[in-house]
Amino acid sequence: MPKKKSAPPSASGTPSSHNITSLSHEARVFKPAPEFSTAAHVKSLAAYRKLYDESIQHPDKFWSRVAKEELVWFSPFKKVLQWKEPVAKWFIGGRLNLAYNCLDRWLNTPVANKAAIIWEGEPNADGRPGEERTLTYRQLHREVCRFANVLKRHGIEKGDRVLIYLPMVPEAAIAMLACARIGAVHSVVFGGFSAQSVADRVADSGARMIITADGGYRRGATVQLKRNVDDALALKDSDGNQIAASVKSVIVLRRCCNDIHMKEARDVWWHRELEYVTPDCPAAKLDSEAPLFILYTSGSTGKPKGIFHTTAGYLLGAKLTTRLVFDLKPDDVYWCTADVGWVTGHSYVVYGPLANGGTSLMYEGAPNWPEPDRFWRIVEKYGVSILYTAPTAIRAFMKWGDEWPGKHNLKSLRLLGSVGEPINPEAWMWYHNVIGGGRCPIVDTWWQTETGAIMITPLPGAIPTKPGSATLPFFGILPEVVDDKGVEVPRNTGGKLVIRKPWPSMLRGVWGDPVRFKQTYWSEVQHSYFTGDGCRQDQDGYFWIVGRIDDVLNVAGHRIGTAEVESALVSHPSVAEAAVVGRPDELKGQALVAFVILKSGVVAKHELREELRQHVGKEIGPVAKPDDIRFAEALPKTRSGKIMRRLLKQVASGLEIKGDTTTLEDYNVLAKLAQTSE
Ligand code: WTA
């Protein structure tokens, strides 16, 4: 990475030089309330800037101090960072354990008997309230130790991969922490993904074990998780070989009385296994760089990539951001509504809150089941003080009407967070006024699976907010907006968002594929991490994320690779070719539009549309089902055969076709495409 001169406060260009003593758009600026600032962990803009400047100018000193203060180490690290682009090693020589940092460290403190996890299940279809469970730190510690012993009993050792495919139940956190305790590497797969996706992730990671449940609940129906696992384990590749051959055992949590099949010598019940183990399980003394988890996420090409994170840097990022961005205090009831199948669930449902001794609320169901006030009912019932959710949910709540939050007392809320996609100013204002009663700061947090922790965000109490902007970088993070040559663009000009310096919780690679790691993240812009996002900085240095500029779509806060959906579509016998693009969607941010060319002789019937949608659901999972399928006779291509996605996007959005079309192979194609809409 280029050695950036650490900017003196008045220099232009670097984020450390934000000239925000007076903000330009005063009308749209929300300053932290003095009462909030006085009590906040970071109390003023000046305090933020001082620490930020230190973190950029003297990163070794800053991170060394913070890592010692925040984490419990079995052996101290000897060196803060070894950077050989693109390979980073942080806190070299240190030994620690993530589960110890989340659990054991609290055992001889007043936190031991505090709620670590408060869980509420979805209300039953017949109207009975959902189940409730609370696990104190002491209870959670015991459950994690017992389950870690179950893993060991099944031969799981340090470095082995374990796939977790569970609903939003405390056992998901228990399974993750149990892996971390013995040094196994977990890979959580979102319960909405298909059998095929499970099999692909097993094959890529070489997982030896799958931890699942007989089923989960969603909107009154059950999700057949175990059945999907059975299907995944039966899948064969084109040569007739089992795809998920590395799996030796499956541990099944009993939830609903599904009629499920347990295969002898492979499948065992979670509760039965516990009968054979003790609650004593010392935490393994792991290297700072011991792999912690793999999480698959969509990229612009091919199958999802296994993003992997390691122990110390990731934990430090998750812990520090949770405390400072959410201003987490001992009395808070903190609720991040993400599923543990996504990175937000990893860092901000499980690891971040527990590493801080916080109380993390987990909810299994949908926001509008049985009624659209589900979230507000939970906020009132448990006195939630910090709520972290996605703009898609906020926009849906807006649509359902103010009467639903209006039925509940939301006075316990003191801070609101947003993540996963750009939040439009209207949704921001609604969140602020209707949910936050005009008094709660909003933290719009930008980050990615790859970054491990929040990167650009307001610090409540310190950084004034502007609706729609993620504001300023977190400590140690040096983002820049650059042009195609990698040169920083002037303020108020759009460009690519890159990160110029390594940071502790950064991804350490793409599992098993160092070449793809380098190509995807470290080749687009020289000596910088490429985020895949477009961005602009305003005159105050505030960052405004525009959204993905690669072929990744963000549908309802979920990352979906167009290439993945295209290959799912062409795997259907009726489809010859497919191209998938996004179009703006009021609720979901983006919607998926698929242009499909059928094989000759296949008739474009309405039922086929639904069949193709179901097919994609089966191949990837319901989140990837196209919203629109349009049958076309040909796709617009350049003379070299590249699909012109820009044009398809315009057709999909119903826009007039703009820009240069001179490289198009067949002009007629465009006219025909414009007529394909339903
Ligand atoms: C988008 C989710 C605007 C962005 C934590 C990023 C956002 C992708 C924001 C990562 C935000 C996330 N404002 N866009 N506050 N947060 N994004 O890996 O496009 O599921 O690259 O991680 O979500 O999605 P991922």
Side-chain angles (χ1 to χ4, degrees):
M1 292 201 171
K3 265 225 155 31
K4 268 221 122 171
K5 272 187 274 116
S6 279
S10 59
S12 66
T14 60
S16 56
S17 65
H18 312 295
N19 175 23
I20 43 176
T21 32
S22 70
L23 288 159
S24 348
H25 304 291
E26 282 300 335
R28 305 286 283 174
V29 174
F30 290 78
K31 295 230 165 88
E35 317 82 83
F36 195 101
S37 298
T38 315
H41 290 305
V42 182
K43 298 184 196 317
S44 67
L45 192 54
Y48 157 75
R49 290 178 67 177
K50 186 159 179 265
L51 269 175
Y52 181 78
D53 285 348
E54 186 206 342
S55 74
I56 298 297
Q57 288 169 28
H58 308 289
D60 275 21
K61 192 172 147 227
F62 176 84
W63 286 119
S64 168
R65 183 182 73 237
V66 173
K68 283 177 196 155
E69 275 169 13
E70 298 286 333
L71 306 185
V72 180
W73 297 87
F74 295 138
S75 325
F77 52 89
K78 299 196 173 66
K79 190 169 181 220
V80 173
L81 170 66
Q82 180 188 303
W83 175 237
K84 286 197 191 122
E85 186 190 316
V87 179
K89 290 189 175 153
W90 283 87
F91 309 116
I92 292 162
R95 292 201 165 261
L96 77 171
N97 185 286
L98 188 144
Y100 188 97
N101 270 275
C102 287
L103 302 168
D104 306 55
R105 75 174 292 177
W106 306 118
L107 291 185
N108 294 316
T109 75
V111 175
N113 292 316
K114 167 182 176 174
I117 294 177
I118 297 177
W119 175 77
E120 172 142 335
E122 193 184 70
N124 295 332
D126 58 14
R128 271 180 299 134
E131 297 162 72
E132 284 172 36
R133 266 166 79 194
T134 298
L135 286 161
T136 64
Y137 273 87
R138 196 179 294 287
Q139 289 168 324
L140 185 61
H141 173 259
R142 184 182 156 86
E143 293 308 314
V144 168
C145 288
R146 291 170 81 203
F147 196 67
N149 281 335
V150 171
L151 298 180
K152 283 189 188 166
R153 219 175 87 81
H154 282 267
I156 299 296
E157 292 176 1
K158 191 162 94 178
D160 285 346
R161 273 81 65 206
V162 171
L163 191 138
I164 300 177
Y165 187 56
L166 282 170
M168 271 297 278
V169 289
E171 281 77 7
I174 293 170
M176 290 161 75
L177 286 157
C179 288
R181 191 165 191 88
I182 64 170
V185 182
H186 61 68
S187 183
V188 183
V189 177
F190 174 55
F193 278 128
S194 64
Q196 181 71 49
S197 300
V198 171
D200 289 344
R201 284 153 172 76
V202 167
D204 190 80
S205 63
R208 296 191 50 185
M209 174 189 270
I210 297 182
I211 302 169
T212 189
D214 49 5
Y217 296 103
R218 185 88 180 162
R219 294 208 167 85
T222 50
V223 184
Q224 304 289 325
L225 295 171
K226 174 61 166 68
R227 207 164 290 169
N228 284 350
V229 168
D230 291 342
D231 291 349
L233 293 176
L235 282 170
K236 304 235 159 76
D237 64 16
S238 48
D239 300 329
N241 300 318
Q242 188 192 0
I243 297 176
S246 55
V247 170
K248 302 290 172 256
S249 44
V250 179
I251 301 187
V252 187
L253 178 74
R254 192 192 272 289
R255 294 230 43 229
C256 28
C257 318
N258 281 327
D259 168 23
I260 65 160
H261 172 69
M262 296 289 280
K263 186 170 173 199
E264 230 189 286
R266 188 195 72 187
D267 303 350
V268 293
W269 289 107
W270 178 305
H271 61 278
R272 284 279 173 74
E273 289 303 298
L274 290 181
E275 290 169 15
Y276 304 109
V277 295
T278 70
D280 298 318
C281 177
K285 295 187 165 69
L286 300 171
D287 191 89
S288 291
E289 284 295 336
L292 172 66
F293 69 82
I294 307 172
L295 192 55
Y296 286 84
T297 190
S298 296
S300 28
T301 52
K303 296 225 174 209
K305 306 178 285 262
I307 302 300
F308 85 94
H309 285 280
T310 57
T311 303
Y314 169 80
L315 177 62
L316 183 59
K319 182 174 185 206
L320 194 66
T321 50
T322 304
R323 190 157 60 77
L324 301 184
V325 175
F326 301 108
D327 191 43
L328 192 69
K329 304 266 172 56
D331 292 341
D332 278 314
V333 177
Y334 161 95
W335 183 20
C336 165
T337 67
D339 191 283
V340 287
W342 311 110
V343 74
T344 309
H346 283 57
S347 303
Y348 300 109
V349 174
V350 181
Y351 293 132
L354 298 179
N356 282 294
T359 294
S360 182
L361 196 136
M362 271 177 105
Y363 173 57
E364 180 185 16
N368 57 348
W369 174 270
E371 289 193 302
D373 67 343
R374 192 67 209 142
F375 271 27
W376 319 123
R377 209 173 264 282
I378 292 175
V379 167
E380 181 172 15
K381 177 172 170 187
Y382 295 102
V384 171
S385 54
I386 301 171
L387 176 68
Y388 188 34
T389 194
T392 289
I394 298 165
R395 288 189 292 263
F397 292 131
M398 272 173 87
K399 193 179 104 191
W400 295 329
D402 295 6
E403 63 271 26
W404 294 104
K407 284 181 177 190
H408 299 279
N409 181 346
L410 306 181
K411 292 242 158 60
S412 57
L413 288 172
R414 66 179 198 91
L415 181 80
L416 302 172
S418 171
V419 62
E421 38 177 334
I423 179 164
N424 46 314
E426 298 71 32
W428 196 103
M429 288 308 302
W430 184 87
Y431 200 27
H432 180 71
N433 290 327
V434 179
I435 304 305
R439 68 181 185 280
C440 305
I442 295 185
V443 290
D444 173 4
T445 60
W446 176 86
W447 62 295
Q448 311 178 296
T449 306
E450 291 87 342
T451 69
I454 293 168
M455 302 284 279
I456 303 181
T457 177
L459 291 184
I463 298 180
T465 50
K466 299 183 189 183
S469 169
T471 75
L472 300 176
F474 190 72
F475 302 129
I477 309 301
L478 189 57
E480 231 169 86
V481 182
V482 301
D483 63 16
D484 286 338
K485 296 200 182 73
V487 178
E488 191 178 20
V489 297
R491 293 282 158 97
N492 277 318
T493 313
K496 297 172 176 174
L497 179 65
V498 297
I499 312 291
R500 295 291 207 192
K501 278 167 93 62
W503 65 100
S505 66
M506 68 199 282
L507 77 165
R508 297 301 192 263
V510 171
W511 191 256
D513 201 344
V515 174
R516 196 171 173 196
F517 172 55
K518 188 153 191 241
Q519 256 164 16
T520 311
Y521 302 106
W522 299 95
S523 305
E524 181 86 14
V525 176
Q526 266 208 338
H527 306 306
S528 302
Y529 166 82
F530 175 55
T531 63
D533 278 332
C535 186
R536 146 184 96 78
Q537 261 185 293
D538 69 14
Q539 52 274 50
D540 300 318
Y542 274 40
F543 288 82
W544 297 76
I545 313 289
V546 181
R548 303 290 306 192
I549 45 175
D550 51 8
D551 289 327
V552 174
L553 302 180
N554 192 327
V555 178
H558 298 150
R559 265 167 77 165
I560 296 174
T562 50
E564 263 176 274
V565 184
E566 286 162 5
S567 69
L569 283 165
V570 294
S571 72
H572 188 279
S574 303
V575 177
E577 210 181 342
V580 172
V581 296
R583 70 159 155 75
D585 182 273
E586 237 180 64
L587 271 186
K588 301 196 283 187
Q590 278 190 304
L592 274 175
V593 182
F595 292 91
V596 170
I597 300 170
L598 296 172
K599 287 195 178 146
S600 62
V602 179
V603 183
K605 284 210 214 98
H606 188 69
E607 302 81 72
L608 185 56
R609 282 203 172 93
E610 193 44 38
E611 191 180 319
L612 293 179
R613 293 185 72 240
Q614 295 305 334
H615 179 73
V616 174
K618 201 166 146 266
E619 288 289 305
I620 305 174
V623 286
K625 282 186 191 171
D627 297 271
D628 282 354
I629 292 194
R630 301 195 183 177
F631 297 121
E633 280 176 28
L635 296 173
K637 288 187 184 160
T638 59
R639 291 197 189 101
S640 59
K642 253 186 106 181
I643 294 174
M644 299 188 82
R645 290 174 183 281
R646 178 174 55 80
L647 297 184
L648 287 179
K649 272 183 217 163
Q650 292 175 4
V651 174
S653 321
L655 298 175
E656 219 180 293
I657 302 209
K658 285 195 194 118
D660 181 20
T661 53
T662 48
T663 46
L664 260 184
E665 189 199 9
D666 173 4
Y667 291 96
N668 292 330
V669 169
L670 272 186
K672 284 180 190 153
L673 271 173
Q675 292 157 13
T676 53
S677 51
E678 286 177 76

